Amino acid sequence: MTSQEFNILVGKLRPRLIHFANGFVKGGAATAEDMVQEAVIKLWRSNELQEIRNPEALTVQILKNVCLDYIKLKKNNMEALNPNFRVYTENDPSVALESKDEMCNINGYLAQLPEDQMLAIRLRDIMGYEMEEIAHILGTTEGNVRTLLSRARQRLREKLMSKWKQ
Amino acid sequence: METIDRKRAGDLLERYFEAQTTLQEEQLLREYFSGANIAPEHAVYTQMFCAFAEEREMLNLTTRNFSAEDKFTINSNSKKFHFRWMSIAVAAALAIFAFLMMPERGDSLKLIIDGVNVKNRELALSKADIHMEQLNSMLGRFRDGSTKQIDNMNKMGDALSSFKSFNKILTQTTVSDRLE
């Protein structure tokens, strides 16, 4: 892939990638753009670029960099990446009241999932990738992806059930 | 659009939560929850499937323009790429074909004597011998001529030797006169 082809493709893919990153980065669109830009630069410098022949493969490679960076950053410094993120506990009534609106939507539930589970469910249920592709993006096995997805969906189910009963 | 009944939806939902469904089955579930015939026991999941469907739709809107335009761009680039290499390949094939099919390709191996192509080896050798003999005779004539000239030069040198002795005497006389 030449630099011209790469630039054209990345330019067209960028909105989709930023949309994806924006789904789990709450620091604003600028943070999502930074993450995507960082991932693109990393891909351009890597040797893997020679093997990429189509836009879908390029998307997967950039998403892989975005997701792995996100997991790494969140493990190292969660607050710097996501300053507005708070883990709400049901034992704290004031916090529960404050976050009531946010908890009403699915994105609120997704935000409470562990990062790998959240990424797995976004890649599968929103991006529509196969298990094998998700395993490649997250750098894990297909079996592990199924486990992550199953746990994430069960958690969402529990949240929905508890809200339904209220 | 395929619709699924209550029982099938229940089965698919259980498999969905175990992460055992395929992408096609998950699409069936999204279609089921976007319809009006949702079983009461499944209504709790409507919000989740509708949210996912909405997000997917937004994502598709972002990428719809890309799919139409860029696949063309990529295809045209790859066609250009193939055309470039194809032209080089055709040129190389033509060159090889011309080399193989040239009837006079052995020209470089011919011996040309007096402007005549000689293919017979013995004839070429005999002609070469004749020319070598001619060359030898020419050299011999040059050698004879050159020895005669050298002899003449020697005779001239002998003739001049008497002048040399006379010149010596004159020089000695001049020096003695100056001393006196």
Side-chain angles (χ1 to χ4, degrees):
Chain A
M1 181 176 282
T2 65
S3 60
Q4 196 184 359
E5 286 170 345
F6 182 77
N7 284 333
I8 292 168
L9 270 181
V10 168
K12 300 283 181 179
L13 288 170
R14 198 180 292 274
R16 188 185 189 203
L17 297 165
I18 290 171
H19 182 88
F20 172 78
N22 214 20
F24 54 84
V25 180
K26 294 200 176 163
T31 313
E33 281 177 23
D34 287 347
M35 285 187 76
V36 171
Q37 185 63 21
E38 191 70 27
V40 168
I41 291 169
K42 198 178 280 183
L43 180 63
W44 178 248
R45 286 175 183 165
S46 75
N47 294 326
E48 290 168 340
L49 195 64
Q50 301 300 320
E51 296 164 12
I52 295 170
R53 288 281 174 265
N54 60 63
E56 199 53 45
L58 185 69
T59 315
V60 167
Q61 285 296 327
I62 297 172
L63 282 178
K64 182 183 172 184
N65 289 340
V66 169
C67 292
L68 294 180
D69 282 354
Y70 172 73
I71 292 171
K72 196 164 66 180
L73 279 170
K74 199 167 179 185
K75 276 179 184 165
N76 291 342
N77 191 358
M78 190 173 73
E79 291 301 317
L81 182 72
N82 192 358
N84 299 323
F85 183 83
R86 296 175 71 182
V87 178
Y88 299 110
T89 57
E90 288 173 5
N91 299 331
D92 189 345
S94 63
V95 172
L97 186 67
E98 193 183 45
S99 62
K100 191 179 177 184
D101 289 338
E102 188 187 353
M103 296 293 276
C104 284
N105 58 58
I106 295 298
N107 282 331
Y109 298 146
L110 286 176
Q112 293 176 58
L113 294 173
E115 61 272 12
D116 47 0
Q117 290 183 22
M118 184 271 290
L119 288 174
I121 210 164
R122 279 194 169 275
L123 288 167
R124 178 70 176 189
D125 287 328
I126 296 169
M127 300 291 279
Y129 283 113
E130 293 284 357
M131 297 292 181
E132 190 187 352
E133 290 173 312
I134 298 169
H136 177 64
I137 290 170
L138 296 180
T140 185
T141 61
E142 209 175 312
N144 197 30
V145 172
R146 284 190 192 281
T147 309
L148 289 172
L149 258 182
S150 176
R151 284 179 186 166
R153 286 170 176 174
Q154 292 290 358
R155 283 200 184 196
L156 285 180
R157 185 185 210 176
E158 286 166 16
K159 295 279 182 190
L160 289 166
M161 287 289 199
S162 63
K163 184 173 174 282
W164 189 259
K165 285 173 186 170
Q166 282 173 8
Chain B
M1 188 172 90
E2 188 186 349
T3 52
I4 50 174
D5 60 12
R6 189 175 182 162
K7 188 177 177 301
R8 177 92 196 279
D11 292 343
L12 283 182
L13 269 172
E14 286 312 310
R15 289 182 60 222
Y16 171 81
F17 286 113
E18 294 297 327
Q20 297 300 324
T21 43
T22 62
L23 285 174
Q24 289 75 22
E25 287 169 337
E26 287 166 19
Q27 179 60 30
L28 283 177
L29 278 174
R30 277 190 294 275
E31 286 166 5
Y32 170 72
F33 281 103
S34 66
N37 300 321
I38 303 167
E41 67 269 26
H42 300 153
V44 62
Y45 310 118
T46 311
Q47 185 193 358
M48 183 176 76
F49 281 98
C50 288
F52 288 153
E54 204 175 309
E55 284 248 27
R56 285 173 78 97
E57 185 58 29
M58 282 168 66
L59 204 65
N60 287 340
L61 281 175
T62 324
T63 54
R64 197 158 288 159
N65 293 332
F66 161 75
S67 305
E69 290 171 17
D70 283 86
K71 279 184 180 167
F72 173 74
T73 311
I74 294 156
N75 286 341
S76 63
N77 283 343
S78 61
K79 273 179 190 170
K80 277 179 193 170
F81 177 80
H82 287 306
F83 179 75
R84 195 164 61 223
W85 281 107
M86 202 178 283
S87 61
I88 293 168
V90 167
L94 275 174
I96 292 166
F97 180 77
F99 176 75
L100 291 173
M101 297 305 290
M102 277 284 281
E104 301 294 328
R105 68 178 183 277
D107 278 355
S108 59
L109 303 172
K110 277 182 187 171
L111 188 64
I112 298 172
I113 302 170
D114 291 338
V116 179
N117 289 339
V118 178
K119 290 182 181 175
N120 190 339
R121 190 169 175 271
E122 287 174 3
L123 182 64
L125 282 172
S126 67
K127 287 216 173 206
D129 281 342
I130 293 163
H131 282 268
M132 286 300 283
E133 279 171 13
Q134 284 176 355
L135 189 66
N136 273 336
S137 65
M138 281 168 71
L139 281 171
R141 267 182 278 166
F142 173 75
R143 192 176 59 230
D144 293 344
S146 60
T147 48
K148 279 177 186 171
Q149 280 178 353
I150 290 165
D151 290 342
N152 289 337
M153 289 289 281
N154 286 335
K155 283 176 185 172
M156 208 168 119
D158 293 341
L160 285 171
S161 61
S162 56
F163 287 102
K164 278 182 185 172
S165 58
F166 179 68
N167 189 30
K168 197 177 176 183
I169 294 162
L170 276 175
T171 315
Q172 284 174 352
T173 316
T174 313
V175 171
S176 59
D177 287 346
R178 279 185 188 168
L179 286 172
E180 285 173 1

